[in-house]
Amino acid sequence: PRAFASHDPAALDALLDAHPFVTLVTVADGAPVVSHLPVLHARDGDTLVLRGHWARPNPQSSHAGEALAIVHGPHAYVSPSWYPDKAAQARVPTWNYVVAHLHGPLERFEDTGALAGLVAELSALHEDRAGEAWRYVDDDAHRSQLRGIVGFRLRVARIEMKAKLSQNHPDANRHAVIA
């Protein structure tokens, strides 16, 4: 429903900050190909760009062209018993969630410098979040590991974002769901 659509770039950036592990979907020979990958995101003017990498043996690492990245945000089951305003027989269960579908052209890259930068940024972000200190060091040992990955950029051309969070219910219902 349109009531759940979101067009707020700041909300999308916050969603990606909190949930940077996406489902990436491409199509090969008429069939969907899916990978689950951590990404970095940045704005290039008005365009959102995702960056990540595959392990070279991943069949999707040879893909380019149109792709879909699904950003899964928070979600939870909602029991019909939590709605105080409805008679028991009128209540139904549902699911609240936040999700974004990001469509656009996928570009592969294998440049050692770009891969090194990507790995350094990804590891710094997630090591800091984990309270750890491992870092990519641009030396022969780490550079040799880069041969095992293929990078990608997804320049987002179309965004579909939904936040279904009981906002179509009266305040009492929303507070009950939160509680």
Side-chain angles (χ1 to χ4, degrees):
R2 282 188 216 118
F4 305 137
S6 175
H7 305 286
D8 180 2
L12 178 54
D13 290 344
L15 179 64
L16 279 160
D17 284 339
H19 303 279
F21 193 71
V22 303
T23 301
L24 185 65
V25 182
T26 58
V27 176
D29 299 324
V33 179
V34 180
S35 295
H36 305 280
L37 306 159
V39 295
L40 296 169
H41 71 284
R43 299 268 172 191
D44 182 7
D46 290 336
T47 302
L48 177 65
V49 180
L50 303 182
R51 291 183 301 139
H53 67 83
W54 300 279
R56 189 170 292 280
N58 182 328
Q60 198 176 48
S61 72
S62 64
H63 292 200
E66 289 301 307
L68 164 65
I70 302 170
V71 185
H72 304 272
H75 60 91
Y77 175 77
V78 177
S79 171
S81 64
W82 298 345
Y83 294 140
D85 76 327
K86 293 185 178 180
Q89 65 273 17
R91 297 177 185 158
V92 295
T94 191
W95 204 273
N96 278 355
Y97 60 90
V98 178
V99 69
H101 294 176
L102 309 176
H103 305 260
L106 187 64
E107 307 160 9
R108 301 170 66 253
F109 63 89
E110 299 183 53
D111 170 77
T112 302
L115 289 172
L118 172 65
V119 170
E121 285 181 62
L122 273 169
S123 60
L125 173 68
H126 295 292
E127 284 288 305
D128 288 348
R129 287 181 175 181
E132 298 297 334
W134 185 91
R135 293 293 187 256
Y136 175 85
V137 177
D138 196 27
D139 60 15
D140 289 342
H142 281 144
R143 271 193 302 277
S144 72
Q145 296 288 329
L146 298 176
R147 289 191 296 259
I149 64 174
V150 176
F152 67 84
R153 282 181 209 88
L154 176 68
R155 293 180 118 2
V156 178
R158 184 166 54 99
I159 298 167
E160 299 170 295
M161 193 161 101
K162 300 285 183 182
K164 181 184 174 288
L165 299 170
S166 299
Q167 66 267 46
N168 57 327
H169 284 266
D171 284 344
N173 286 3
R174 286 196 305 272
H175 293 299
V177 168
I178 291 167

